[in-house]
Amino acid sequence: MADNVENAVNSVSNDGTEANRHTETTPSRNEVELNGQPPTARPPQVLTDSEEDEDEELTLKYGAKHVIMLFVPVTLCMVVVVATIKSVSFYTQKDGQQLIYTPFREDTETVGQRALNSMLNAFIMIGVILVMTLVLVVLYKYRCYKVIQAWLFFSNLLLLFFFSLIYLGEVFKTYNVAMDYFTLAVIIWNFGVVGMICIHWKGPLRLQQAYLIMISALMALVFIKYLPEWTAKLLIINASSVDLLAVLCPKGPLRILVETAQERNETIFPALIYSSTMVWLFNMADSAETGNNSSHPVPQQENQVAMAPTAQPEDDGGFTPAWVNQQQHQLGPMQSSEDSRREIQELPSARPPPVEDDEERGVKLGLGDFIFYSMLVGKASATASGDWNTTIACFVAILIGLCLTLLLLAIFKKALPALPISITFGLVFYFATDNLVRPFMDQLAVHQFYI
Amino acid sequence: MTVAVFFGCTFIAFGPAVALFLFTIARDPLRVIFLIAGAFFWLVSLLLSSLVWFITVQISNKNSAAQQRGLLIFGVVLSVLLQEAFRYGYYRLLKKANEGLLALSQEDTMPISMRQLAYVSGLGFGFMSGAFSVVNILSDSLGPGTVGIHGDSQHYFISSAFMTLAIILLHMFWGVVFFESCERQRWWALGAVVISHLVVSCLTFVNPHYQGSLVPTYIILSVMAAWAYLCAGGSLRNLKLCLTCKDKDFLLANHRPR
């Protein structure tokens, strides 16, 4: 009988099989997930061996695709940052200003004093980030969505309008382009408004991804400009260890965030996070918002890593209360009980099934990760004496670290911190290339020896 | 020393390699990953060899130019040997990984064949090697300056570009031959690859007499190209069939009329 049921389930739609697998990971949601099937008292372990193997194979096949889906945006972000650093001198000029989070100066007489100052700076900064993360988690836990939304909205506003205005201004200065204020206002206004819409509401996936990359790059540039040398490196190191703890420790804030979101069957601020697939806001009447995102493997999407620099725009995901209100308004207030949900699921779906194909299962990476990766590579290109060699070495190291992290994700199937491995590799290669490889390659280039 | 020189040298050095990447590797995510992993392995080998060189320089007499040159030559030889060692290490790793993947998945065939891996890893090595050799030179060529103002060769940039092109393609061919010889347990072929790499590197010691270094390098390049073609399963017959569009298997697979 179990076989029949399984066959029936398999023959429904893609979602059916998705839901089927889903039941393995979250037995509590058994009764709602089975499309077209009345919830029966079935044991949680529905999967047969063949389905498990199919599972493995698909994971392997599409694992590589997911890695590339993350390689491309990370590379793009780094390219934008490096290109800006190399051409616009504004971001490498030290005009003595520093962020209020880093009150201690690094231009001191002794090395010891400098080390102490930079450590204090880094601690203060990490402290600020931790506090903000905790506030975010507390707000999320107590369902103060409006506050989070307003906060994210405001910070995105700042980034998309103010910072990009400065960026554009500096680019114009570098290339000596004359532009009047009216045109500038129109450009910035359009850029900003479209960005806000794409990130906080709906928009084409590619455009949303492009905006997320742009704001990460802008944030990384701000950090590169305003953080002094040693502080920046120490901050990166601290951030990766904090990330490790916050995501893996049982009481870590990020882990709590992920688990709470899982319990409530919601996505975590899809805009705070770069996602490689569309968040379908309208699929089955099932409460699972992101039907497809919350499908198997649930863990794969929770690649939540550093929400670290929460000073940044952590935008919430598609599921804002505004959207929910709008849905309710359109469809009439829904009291979705088990029965009503089941009934609706049993109706033949008029819409095409959501892009819940195996190929479309995406993977997510927090924007904080983008920022720190780009910051490392940007610092390498700005200040390292090895110049392009160091930049390329850091770039390859970070990509390999990301690859390994995704491999671990495929093995462990739960939220993992993306910073530690990549940042470790990146820093090791940064220092090694700068101090060891650079003199070697310089000597080789002088004599035109090739290895 | 202009934008023209920059673009010209960039395209000479990286043109074929980027074309190969775009047409054969960019579509397949697995190949891209293995390319980057190959680049990473080359980088690690370079790191180790620079570490050793750095240590030897620190403990040597910094004022003696002859000694420094000698140390540099030693560094080059060591680097070549380490690169080949890491290529072997990468081969072993890939073999293990492939076997693991095969055991895990239900399919009979590996998702990526050893020959493809040889090609991709060779190209990865080549990309990194080329990038590290020439990118700083290219970025310098954008700025102002006069080439060879102190009596050095005028052809610095263009010869660097051609040398880099040769090295990238050579790495690719070395990769193919290397992996093939490891698969078939032909150790003499392995030795030949290592020796040809050493020869190419040592030829550059005669720079700036480019006729002494570039010409033999390109001869070695063509020999390795032919060897790699034969290793990858090509033959004169295949070549003829391909060029005259009479290869039935290929046409069938691509749904084209003869």
Side-chain angles (χ1 to χ4, degrees), chain A residues 68-322:
Chain A
I68 297 299
M69 283 201 268
L70 282 186
F71 270 11
V72 174
V74 169
T75 310
L76 278 175
C77 193
M78 289 194 221
V79 162
V80 168
V81 169
V82 170
T84 310
I85 295 266
K86 285 291 180 195
S87 52
V88 179
S89 58
F90 171 73
Y91 287 104
T92 42
Q93 281 163 359
K94 297 284 171 198
D95 27 355
Q97 262 188 336
Q98 286 187 205
L99 297 172
I100 48 167
Y101 305 118
T102 54
F104 298 97
R105 308 208 56 94
E106 272 194 25
D107 42 7
T108 56
E109 286 107 39
T110 64
V111 174
Q113 185 70 18
R114 184 178 185 185
L116 185 67
N117 278 359
S118 52
M119 268 197 287
L120 288 171
N121 274 342
F123 279 137
I124 295 178
M125 191 103 199
I126 280 288
V128 168
I129 290 175
L130 260 180
V131 163
M132 289 212 210
T133 314
L134 282 170
V135 169
L136 186 75
V137 170
V138 162
L139 285 175
Y140 187 76
K141 212 166 160 77
Y142 292 110
R143 298 180 190 263
C144 310
Y145 294 136
K146 285 220 188 302
V147 179
I148 298 180
Q149 235 187 301
W151 177 13
L152 294 180
F153 195 82
F154 175 69
S155 55
N156 259 348
L157 210 68
L158 196 69
L159 261 189
L160 281 172
F161 287 96
F162 186 54
F163 284 164
S164 50
L165 178 67
I166 295 179
Y167 179 80
L168 207 57
E170 292 305 324
V171 168
F172 287 153
K173 269 188 224 167
T174 307
Y175 291 107
N176 207 14
V177 173
M179 178 159 291
D180 55 301
Y181 277 118
F182 291 119
T183 318
L184 189 67
V186 167
I187 293 175
I188 294 288
W189 174 254
N190 279 302
F191 179 78
V193 168
V194 173
M196 293 304 285
I197 293 178
C198 274
I199 296 174
H200 285 270
W201 193 46
K202 297 183 222 186
L205 179 66
R206 291 283 176 232
L207 200 59
Q208 184 193 45
Q209 291 174 337
Y211 269 105
L212 289 175
I213 293 175
M214 275 190 267
I215 58 179
S216 310
L218 277 174
M219 207 60 221
L221 284 169
V222 164
F223 275 163
I224 292 173
K225 179 169 173 68
Y226 288 113
L227 284 179
E229 295 279 334
W230 292 14
T231 310
K233 307 243 173 48
L234 280 173
L235 177 68
I236 295 178
I237 297 176
N238 281 357
S240 71
S241 28
V242 162
D243 191 28
L244 191 67
L245 294 171
V247 175
L248 292 181
C249 285
K251 284 294 172 194
L254 291 180
R255 184 160 169 161
I256 294 179
L257 189 68
V258 166
E259 282 168 3
T260 319
Q262 248 179 306
E263 277 169 40
R264 295 187 197 160
N265 222 352
E266 293 166 356
T267 47
I268 305 179
F269 320 117
L272 235 186
I273 288 167
Y274 176 96
S275 158
S276 50
T277 54
M278 180 71 87
V279 175
W280 282 83
L281 307 181
F282 41 91
N283 44 27
M284 310 303 189
D286 186 0
S287 64
E289 61 306 353
T290 45
N292 68 351
N293 274 351
S294 64
S295 69
H296 169 83
V298 167
Q300 239 187 22
Q301 62 192 104
E302 259 95 35
N303 188 359
Q304 252 60 161
V305 201
M307 309 267 265
T310 49
Q312 289 87 44
E314 325 278 64
D315 342 69
D316 67 76
F319 278 120
T320 67

Side-chain angles (χ1 to χ4, degrees), chain B residues 52-75:
Chain B
V52 173
W53 176 83
F54 191 76
I55 294 175
T56 57
V57 162
Q58 295 303 323
I59 59 180
S60 75
N61 173 17
K62 298 232 178 115
N63 296 323
S64 151
Q67 202 183 42
Q68 293 302 312
R69 193 184 161 92
L71 278 179
L72 199 61
I73 292 179
F74 162 69

Side-chain angles (χ1 to χ4, degrees), chain A residues 342-382:
Chain A
R342 196 190 329 148
E343 258 181 70
I344 294 186
Q345 282 165 357
E346 283 175 22
L347 291 173
S349 170
R351 304 186 202 97
V355 193
E356 190 32 85
D357 236 337
D358 294 321
E359 282 145 31
E360 306 289 341
R361 266 179 288 153
V363 69
K364 300 184 177 192
L365 187 63
L367 285 192
D369 300 318
F370 279 86
I371 293 171
F372 276 118
Y373 293 160
S374 312
M375 205 168 110
L376 183 57
V377 175
K379 270 282 183 215
S381 74

